[in-house]
Amino acid sequence: MERMLTLVRHGQSEGNARNIFTGWLDLPLTDQGVREAEAAGQSLRAGGLGFGSVYTSALGRAKETSRIILDELGLPDLTPVVTTALNERDYGELAGLNKDEAITRWGKEQVHSWRRSYEVAPPGGESLRETTARVLLFFLHDILPAVLSGSGVLVVAHGNSLRALVMALDSLDAPAVEQLEIATGEILVYRFDADARVLAKEQRRA
């Protein structure tokens, strides 16, 4: 029995293309994002990966990416579990602001801290530590049991919610996770033993 977890970041969204803090803003995929989602599905199909369970955030760009991937896999009838627990980090008052404009307003060092720090939260938003708390609670309660049951599990989410998962799975400390980047359309495949220990990790680009 193979215990496998596959993580995919959604394809490029309009927020990514416009270089804005997107967070919980519900912006769709760009044409490039659709192509990245299609490529991710094709890569998973070529690798022979199968899925019995799919989890996605409640934001449209992740749901759209999961739908495209499942279509590419020939699994259009597999219904994802949709949850806000996997949503992108909430950027609070920064949501919708262009990142370069934010640097002009608050300074490069402050904006970098809001974007990359593990503990510092933007005004009215979440720190990565707070994002990690909600993501890991859902992972341990819902996703991991499905993985250990032998149901191949696909998770389609966001840069920061996936960084939170990778932090736990790769045993990263705060400085390491602050440097971690996950590209749009990127694929990470983990295999586990019966005691939930990671046996192997494979990184793919769509």
Side-chain angles (χ1 to χ4, degrees), residues 84-99:
T84 57
L86 294 174
N87 275 18
E88 177 59 290
R89 177 182 172 192
D90 182 355
Y91 275 109
E93 295 176 20
L94 299 184
L97 293 180
N98 179 276
K99 293 172 184 177

Side-chain angles (χ1 to χ4, degrees), residues 38-51 68-75 187 204:
E38 291 171 342
Q42 291 161 8
S43 176
L44 295 174
R45 185 179 69 230
L49 277 66
F51 302 102
I68 293 169
I69 289 173
L70 292 175
D71 285 345
E72 291 288 341
L73 291 171
L75 298 171
I187 301 167
R204 299 182 177 194

Side-chain angles (χ1 to χ4, degrees), residues 55-75:
Y55 298 85
T56 184
S57 88
L59 297 170
R61 56 195 184 273
K63 292 191 291 184
E64 186 178 0
T65 298
S66 67
R67 178 189 59 76
I68 293 169
I69 289 173
L70 292 175
D71 285 345
E72 291 288 341
L73 291 171
L75 298 171

Side-chain angles (χ1 to χ4, degrees), residues 127-138:
S127 65
L128 182 58
R129 179 170 60 182
E130 291 168 327
T131 305
T132 300
R134 63 169 163 84
V135 169
L136 289 188
L137 181 64
F138 183 80

